[in-house]
Amino acid sequence: MDTQLVSLIQRLANPAVMPMRSAELQQLASMKTEVVTCGAYRSRVLINDTPSPQAKSVLLLHGWGGHPMMLCALQSVLHACGYRVYTPFLLGHDPETPAGCELPAQPPLLLMMQARYGAFDSVVAHSAGGIITAMAHSQGFILNQVALLNAPASLANLLQRYLVLHRAAEHYLPLLGADFQRRYPMFADLQTCSPYAFSEARVLIMQGLRDQRISPANARQIQSQLPGSQLHMIEDTGHLGILSHQPALQTLARFLCANQADTAKGNTHAWAH
């Protein structure tokens, strides 16, 4: 195998995880966490619990090379809406148990959490978390509604960005895809220009127009894959800024928490459990 291709595969499986700031480490130490095990991987799940037995659960997913504390503002907003909030470290991203883990190996984390905590009503996925959610959904992960924040429109879009970051030639794109498909046969259906198939879920797509990592054009491509989805383009924020952008958080809360309010009134939608 081409030595540069091998190097690209290895680097993709070992992302440079953004370090947590001291305030984030202190906040993490005060939060309820549980360790989950997926095969050879161990990772922590942060839990913002609620005493209400009727509370619905929401899963928050960070992007590749990120960590759960980047989603603190989202955790607070959705917990205040009455959700029980689960925020895991993606496999291989937990600094307590670091290990290389490829993108196609992430869906078992979501499926294991579904088996352990029950089906999640909602998912909020940032960046590569959107593709991971699409992969897990194709393998049986259930959701009622999903919000995609600055997500890539396809695996190819994500890998193209990765090649640019590593100054690698574009001819490696099909080679990376072929290698993934050889080692992860179930991955074939996701290697299309339309991997999102949340046909029975409510979908919100949010995109910061100042995003320098995921082109805003991706948001419109995702919307074309999901007829009936809502699209919000946010003018004054970028890739990470959207996670703490107050107008964006308010839009997200209105979208997700409308379901909570309707359920409380006894109005059950066709897409609801």
Side-chain angles (χ1 to χ4, degrees):
M1 184 182 289
D2 185 321
T3 55
Q4 186 171 2
L5 177 60
V6 171
S7 176
L8 287 168
I9 293 169
Q10 291 175 343
R11 279 190 277 178
L12 184 56
N14 293 276
V17 178
M18 292 182 65
M20 283 181 274
R21 294 169 293 186
S22 57
E24 291 174 329
L25 288 169
Q26 292 174 3
Q27 186 174 357
L28 174 60
S30 69
M31 295 183 69
K32 176 182 177 181
T33 62
E34 293 183 359
V35 175
V36 297
T37 301
C38 286
Y41 299 98
R42 288 168 57 84
S43 202
R44 285 172 292 173
V45 177
L46 285 55
I47 303 174
N48 297 69
D49 214 340
T50 174
S52 172
Q54 277 75 44
K56 294 184 177 181
S57 298
V58 60
L59 173 66
L60 306 186
L61 285 184
H62 63 78
W64 204 247
H67 57 75
M69 302 311 294
M70 297 166 65
L71 305 174
C72 281
L74 281 170
Q75 293 167 2
S76 298
V77 167
L78 296 179
H79 190 249
C81 286
Y83 274 101
R84 185 173 288 110
V85 186
Y86 295 84
T87 317
F89 283 91
L90 290 179
L91 299 181
H93 285 64
D94 190 337
E96 287 195 350
T97 54
C101 188
E102 295 178 297
L103 194 73
Q106 296 293 328
L109 171 65
L110 277 64
L111 295 169
M112 184 284 304
M113 290 184 65
Q114 179 174 266
R116 180 165 175 171
Y117 300 115
F120 293 92
D121 175 73
S122 306
V123 175
V124 180
H126 178 242
S127 193
I131 289 291
I132 292 169
T133 301
M135 288 191 289
H137 183 63
S138 72
Q139 297 175 38
F141 183 70
I142 300 167
L143 48 80
N144 265 346
Q145 46 190 8
V146 58
L148 302 170
L149 313 184
N150 291 1
S154 67
L155 175 68
N157 288 74
L158 183 62
L159 293 180
Q160 279 178 328
R161 175 60 185 167
Y162 169 70
L163 292 177
V164 170
L165 287 174
H166 291 283
R167 299 181 180 179
E170 192 163 335
H171 76 261
Y172 283 106
L173 180 60
L175 297 178
L176 282 171
D179 179 74
F180 279 153
Q181 188 166 327
R182 177 179 60 82
R183 293 183 292 113
Y184 300 94
M186 78 293 292
F187 202 53
D189 291 343
L190 275 297
Q191 298 227 52
T192 72
C193 60
S194 301
Y196 295 98
F198 309 134
S199 59
E200 297 182 1
R202 295 176 70 236
V203 181
L204 172 68
I205 304 159
M206 300 182 68
Q207 176 69 46
L209 289 174
R210 294 185 181 178
D211 194 336
Q212 299 298 310
R213 302 187 190 183
I214 302 295
S215 167
N218 282 260
R220 297 198 182 281
Q221 292 176 36
I222 296 174
Q223 187 183 39
S224 70
Q225 300 174 40
L226 298 166
S229 59
Q230 298 182 31
L231 174 62
H232 289 262
M233 308 295 275
I234 314 297
E235 292 188 1
D236 55 347
T237 194
H239 192 71
L240 297 180
I242 198 170
L243 299 176
S244 56
H245 187 268
Q246 286 304 310
L249 294 179
Q250 291 166 9
T251 297
L252 177 63
R254 284 194 296 270
F255 174 79
L256 294 182
C257 298
N259 183 30
Q260 295 281 67
D262 287 346
T263 301
K265 295 175 185 176
N267 298 327
T268 304
H269 296 276
W271 42 265
H273 289 308

